Every structure is written in structure tokens, then in C-alpha cells.
Amino acid sequence: MALTEEQKKLIQNFISQPTFRQHGGLLTDLDGTIVLQRNGKFIIPLEVQTGLNKLYQRNCPIILNTIRFPLSIIKTFAAVLYPLAQKPIPVISLNGSQWGYISLGENQEYRFTEAGAQPLKQADIQSCLANIQLLVQQQVPDIAVFYYPRDWTKGEIIWTSVETQVGEIAQSYPSASHVYSSSLAILENHLKAEDISMIFLLVKKDHLAGTFLQRNFQDFYTSTGVNKLTGAHAFVNQLGRTLKQFIGAGDTPMDVFLQETGAVIKVGNLPLDFECSGPLLPIETVPEMGEVFTQIAEACTVTNPSYQL
């Protein structure tokens, strides 16, 4: 679907601002925003790749802001994105918990270099463990705990309380580096032995008892107050910039960084559940992002060397 003249004008008005040309860029979610799932595989549509390539050619900084962990980004998208960027790719990962750059090493393998992190505090881990213990006591079936060490090379680790489920979980989540079963005490020792960036508690909601639902069941655990907005602030401020100078792109209520970007590209029909301070450009599908990115690139008629991260 072609962009309307009104949508094009919104883009041009924002791009024409000197603050964007000198210090701005694109801050975008991955899944559901520039990534589609087709036949069980995650892909960046060719239309979007073309638009991203044009942005990179204009030296438009692009920062990824995703729930994914660094190793997942590397294994799934680095081979597509890095040849377009031809330079280290800035990434905010794990719901704002860790940020840095994906680059190509001397051995031609992609790697992540941390620039900052906000790992879980011991109190946050203890709160998560208390909820896991309650679930186990209530004999809730199919509990799985996904956790992500700050050491990005360890990837995704999954714990289950039922030993017989290890094989099934490993098959269902090939992205996991390790799946195991143990006592809660051993899980606690593992979680407290090193910095953990994020924990995800997977439980089928229809198996939860009413008393647990009344505790406002939480599935994602980061350090208190950490999310995609705080992670974006931390990284962008570290670069000497502000969110108001960026165009934000996302598709779900988890993309809270959209609240404060200078302009917003909203993909799909899922309500965001929050107000955005910048003008909103709604589009229906991921492939349409390619046209939006192309329009942004075409509006960037002046290229400034300082316009690079």
C-alpha cells in the first residue's frame, strides 16, 4: 500500500529538522516491526531490506531495540543486516537490560560487544524465585524458566521442574543453548552465581489458580523499572543524543520507548496502551516499512559525517 501524501508530509516535516539531521536516527523494534515469521522462520522482507539499505547509504543511524537476546539476533539476523550496514550495529536487547554493538570479528564470526547493562538485582531474582516456588507448590504443570546471563555467549538457558520435559522443551526451543531440570535450590544457585539480564517465566495462564492470578502474574523479569524505554534512554544518552531526535518504530505495548521518540511509526492494529508524545504514522503490515524507510532516506538530502553513531 502506497503512503498517502499526508504520511509523506509527516516524514518530511520531521526529517527536515536540523536536530534530526545532525543527531537523530531510527530506533526500531524487530519482531512484528521489521521482522515477519513465515513457515516457522523469521525473515526480514526484501522490501524492508531495500529500505534499510537506503537508510544505511544515507548514513542514517539505526538502533535495534528488541526483547531478543544478543546471540539470537546474531544467529537470526546478523548475516542479513551486517552486509547492509557495513559497520557495527547498535542493539538494545533483553527488554532494555543490555546494549552494545554487533560486529564482525577477525575470524569472520559475528560477536556482541557490550556498551552497558542493567542486570537483575538480587531482590528482583528473589521475587521471581518466590513466584516460581508458589507455582511449584500449586502443582501448576508445564512451568519453564528462561534466563539470560549477562555473558551473552551463554545465550538462552531453560529450566524445568520436570525432568521428563527436558527433551520436549529442547526440541520446541532450538534457540536455547542449554535445557535442564533440577531442584529449586540449584536453580537459585545458578541465578545468583552471575549477572542475569532477564528472566522469562512461561506458564499456561489457564493452569493458574485464582490466588496466583490475583498477584498480577508477571512473565518478564528485569531489574526493577528496566524496560525498552529505560534501555533506550541509557544507550542514546551515552551517545550524547536524546530520544526526541529519533524516529521510533514498533508494534506492541512492550515498545514503550515509542512514548518519547520524536515521531512514531506504528505497525499493525494492536493497541499500544500508552500515549505517544510525537506524531504517529500508522501502517498495517511489516513490508510497508520498506516504503517508509525509503521515504525517510529520500528526505535525507543532506548527509553529515556527524550523523553517524
Side-chain angles (χ1 to χ4, degrees):
M1 185 181 76
L3 293 177
T4 65
E5 290 303 314
E6 183 179 355
Q7 289 173 320
K8 291 179 181 179
K9 185 176 180 180
L10 185 153
I11 293 171
Q12 291 169 350
N13 286 344
F14 187 76
I15 300 300
S16 65
Q17 299 178 46
T19 54
F20 176 83
R21 292 184 179 279
Q22 296 174 7
H23 305 292
L26 173 69
L27 183 61
T28 180
D29 171 54
L30 279 175
D31 295 272
T33 301
I34 66 172
V35 170
L36 280 176
Q37 185 175 8
R38 287 178 179 168
N39 301 321
K41 294 184 178 181
F42 295 96
I43 64 164
I44 300 176
L46 288 176
E47 302 96 322
V48 178
Q49 292 185 42
T50 299
L52 287 171
N53 188 44
K54 291 178 179 179
L55 287 174
Y56 282 124
Q57 288 175 347
R58 293 285 188 171
N59 289 326
C60 179
I62 300 173
I63 301 176
L64 307 180
N65 194 352
T66 175
I67 195 74
R68 285 178 180 261
F69 54 104
L71 195 56
S72 171
I73 303 169
I74 287 172
K75 289 183 176 180
T76 311
F77 305 115
V80 174
L81 291 174
Y82 195 85
L84 299 177
Q86 291 293 308
K87 56 188 173 185
I89 300 171
V91 170
I92 303 163
S93 68
L94 293 166
N95 203 26
S97 295
Q98 189 175 31
W99 55 92
Y101 297 87
I102 290 175
S103 58
L104 191 62
E106 295 179 357
N107 57 358
Q108 296 302 299
E109 291 185 356
Y110 293 105
R111 64 187 180 190
F112 174 76
T113 303
E114 181 186 297
Q118 305 176 107
L120 285 134
K121 299 179 178 64
Q122 290 298 310
D124 301 313
I125 292 176
Q126 198 59 50
S127 175
C128 179
L129 285 166
N131 283 339
I132 296 169
Q133 184 174 26
L134 182 59
L135 289 168
V136 172
Q137 289 173 346
Q138 292 184 350
Q139 298 183 336
V140 175
D142 303 322
I143 303 169
V145 179
F146 297 63
Y147 61 94
Y148 306 87
R150 183 175 178 176
D151 179 355
W152 69 273
T153 62
K154 295 184 178 181
E156 177 180 66
I157 302 172
I158 307 178
W159 174 91
T160 173
S161 60
V162 182
E163 188 173 356
T164 55
Q165 290 183 336
V166 169
E168 180 182 345
I169 291 174
Q171 187 174 10
S172 299
Y173 298 96
S175 60
S177 300
H178 179 53
V179 181
Y180 73 102
S181 179
S182 72
S183 66
L184 275 174
I186 291 177
L187 172 63
E188 180 175 0
N189 288 339
H190 288 170
L191 291 177
K192 293 183 175 181
E194 62 181 319
D195 280 348
I196 303 296
S197 292
M198 188 180 80
I199 302 173
F200 173 63
L201 182 53
L202 179 64
V203 180
K204 293 181 180 178
K205 301 294 177 64
D206 55 351
H207 289 165
L208 293 177
T211 53
F212 196 88
L213 287 173
Q214 290 170 8
R215 291 168 57 97
N216 296 320
F217 175 76
Q218 183 179 347
D219 44 11
F220 287 98
Y221 293 80
T222 55
S223 184
T224 301
V226 169
N227 54 33
K228 284 187 170 185
L229 175 59
T230 63
H233 271 305
F235 195 12
V236 169
N237 292 347
Q238 190 173 312
L239 297 168
R241 306 176 185 221
T242 68
L243 286 183
K244 291 293 183 187
Q245 298 164 334
F246 280 75
I247 296 175
D251 68 310
T252 78
M254 290 194 73
D255 295 324
V256 288
F257 65 96
L258 299 178
Q259 294 177 78
E260 299 187 24
T261 52
V264 175
I265 306 167
K266 165 68 171 59
V267 184
N269 300 315
L270 189 65
L272 290 178
D273 297 338
F274 54 77
E275 296 293 327
C276 299
S277 59
L280 183 68
L281 192 163
I283 63 173
E284 294 180 3
T285 67
V286 171
E288 289 178 66
M289 288 295 280
E291 186 179 356
V292 175
F293 292 162
T294 297
Q295 186 67 32
I296 294 173
E298 290 176 352
C300 293
T301 53
V302 178
T303 307
N304 187 324
S306 67
Y307 190 50
Q308 300 180 41
L309 293 175

